Amino acid sequence: YGFYALWVINEGTTDRLDHSNDFRAELCGMGKFKKKRYQYFLNPSVDQNVVMCVEHCPAMTGENICLYEKDGNTPTPFCYVTLQTTYMGKYCVPVEPISRMIVNDYLSSFEKLFKRVASDLILAQDTMLIGCAISAALSFALLILLRQPFLVQFLVWFSIFASIGVFGFLAWSCTVEYKKTIQIACLNGVDAKGCGGVKASLYWYGALIISLCGFLYVLTIARLFKRIKLAIGIIQASSKSFVVLSQIKLVPIILGLLTTALGGIMVMVVFNAASVGEIKKIPAKAVFGGFVKTIFINPFARSIAVGNVLLFFWWVLCFLSFGDLAIAY
């Protein structure tokens, strides 16, 4: 694991995950392209790999746009007619229906979806760290509050209703993203003949599955209502153990620090592993020289990254088991 971690950290370039690239495999929004953050498809109906970095997505059809030299500014004689586009993240997606469908299908491929998911996780690192800190604070607060028997009933029912709220929030979020995808991918914002593609389908089925799980959760709570009340009574009767057991104060802190450190290493390794790749020349149409450069992500490094996530959860389970052992002792 150590050798693998050193390899992916040395070979990986996480900027590849949250930045698109041009026809020379140079990253948009970085270095000389700092002001050119968006990837524009010059002729998607012919070749989706012929792309360039632009400062703004073209808002009109019929203007000339030319490829640039290696300095990123000097135009070459090889020019195209612009397509009217709209913004979708850091991509310029054509408005014209056929080109739009081609680009959406290209961006919905597993490779691009994986890249965008990793990019979203990188951009949300601060939010996730704050969430982890809040979760840790709430965990310690729960241990303190459970010392008060009269608060146990409130805490249990609050947790149950909060879980129901989470199901509702996730279903609503998937529905909102589905509508956004349809608005971007489909003409007049109407989902007809599967124009939303794989992405819209994932959000739609995600909303249905989460809603179904939430409904089943509510039914389960209603069915087990009496048992829940009995469990609350048991917890109230055993809440004194939180005062008697002194080791319960120290063990969660140690395990929390170990889990946080392991999680930080795991995140670093996974992000770098997802960006390990090499730049290759590939044949291209409608471009001078007959080829472009593109970035090929190493499938081995990416698959091992998934294994690292599973390994992290295995270690967390080990820590939790050790915590139960220490507390029970």
Side-chain angles (χ1 to χ4, degrees):
Y1 179 83
F3 285 113
Y4 171 76
L6 291 174
W7 174 62
V8 297
I9 291 174
N10 183 60
E11 296 293 329
T13 305
T14 55
D15 288 332
R16 289 174 177 170
L17 299 176
D18 56 348
H19 292 81
S20 50
N21 60 275
D22 71 351
F23 61 99
R24 292 192 181 96
E26 296 186 80
L27 300 179
C28 303
M30 299 288 294
K32 60 189 174 185
F33 294 126
K34 189 173 182 179
K35 293 184 178 180
K36 297 182 178 181
R37 302 171 51 206
Y38 303 100
Q39 184 186 66
Y40 172 66
F41 297 84
L42 291 157
N43 196 349
S45 60
V46 176
D47 195 333
Q48 297 88 47
N49 292 308
V50 183
V51 291
M52 64 185 293
C53 301
V54 294
E55 188 171 351
H56 303 287
C57 292
M60 296 178 61
T61 299
E63 299 179 344
N64 278 346
I65 186 170
C66 302
L67 294 176
Y68 39 71
E69 299 287 355
K70 291 184 177 180
D71 62 5
N73 291 312
T74 306
T76 67
F78 210 89
C79 300
Y80 299 80
V81 176
T82 59
L83 297 173
Q84 183 184 3
T85 58
T86 56
Y87 293 89
M88 190 177 77
K90 294 182 179 180
Y91 299 97
C92 300
V93 180
V95 172
E96 189 271 319
I98 296 178
S99 297
R100 193 178 190 86
M101 182 178 65
I102 292 172
V103 171
N104 278 323
D105 289 342
Y106 174 74
L107 295 178
S108 297
S109 64
F110 175 79
E111 187 79 28
K112 298 301 179 182
L113 284 175
F114 185 89
K115 176 182 175 180
R116 292 212 300 279
V117 168
S119 172
D120 290 342
L121 291 174
I122 289 175
L123 295 175
Q125 283 184 90
D126 295 342
T127 304
M128 289 190 294
L129 286 173
I130 293 172
C132 289
I134 293 174
S135 298
L138 290 175
S139 298
F140 289 118
L142 181 64
L143 290 176
I144 296 172
L145 292 174
L146 283 176
R147 296 179 182 181
Q148 311 299 327
F150 67 91
L151 287 176
V152 171
Q153 184 171 353
F154 167 77
L155 291 173
V156 170
W157 287 112
F158 175 79
S159 299
I160 290 173
F161 285 110
S163 299
I164 296 172
V166 169
F167 279 115
F169 175 76
L170 291 175
W172 173 79
S173 298
C174 287
T175 303
V176 170
E177 290 301 320
Y178 166 77
K179 291 180 179 179
K180 286 182 180 179
T181 303
I182 295 301
Q183 195 67 34
I184 292 173
C186 302
L187 199 62
N188 299 324
V190 178
D191 188 5
K193 298 181 180 179
C195 60
V198 176
K199 185 178 179 181
S201 298
L202 286 174
Y203 283 128
W204 175 250
Y205 288 117
L208 289 178
I209 292 171
I210 293 171
S211 299
L212 178 61
C213 290
F215 178 71
L216 293 176
Y217 179 79
V218 172
L219 288 181
T220 304
I221 295 299
R223 183 178 179 83
L224 301 178
F225 180 77
K226 292 183 178 179
R227 293 186 182 183
I228 292 172
K229 291 185 68 176
L230 177 62
I232 291 173
I234 295 173
I235 295 173
Q236 287 174 329
S238 61
S239 60
K240 294 180 181 179
S241 62
F242 289 93
V243 180
V244 175
L245 298 176
S246 59
Q247 66 267 37
I248 203 171
K249 301 176 182 177
L250 184 61
V251 171
I253 296 175
I254 296 174
L255 295 181
L257 292 174
L258 287 174
T259 304
T260 301
L262 186 64
I265 295 172
M266 186 273 297
V267 169
M268 187 185 305
V269 169
V270 168
F271 284 159
N272 279 277
S275 64
V276 173
E278 58 181 323
I279 298 173
K280 294 182 179 180
K281 289 183 179 180
I282 60 172
K285 301 175 183 178
V287 66
F288 65 95
F291 67 87
V292 295
K293 291 182 179 180
T294 190
I295 302 170
F296 285 89
I297 300 299
N298 188 314
F300 170 76
R302 186 173 58 194
S303 60
I304 296 298
V306 177
N308 273 271
V309 175
L310 298 177
L311 185 63
F312 167 74
F313 285 109
W314 183 83
W315 275 106
V316 169
L317 290 175
C318 286
F319 289 156
L320 292 174
S321 299
F322 174 78
D324 292 339
L325 179 64
I327 292 170
Y329 179 80

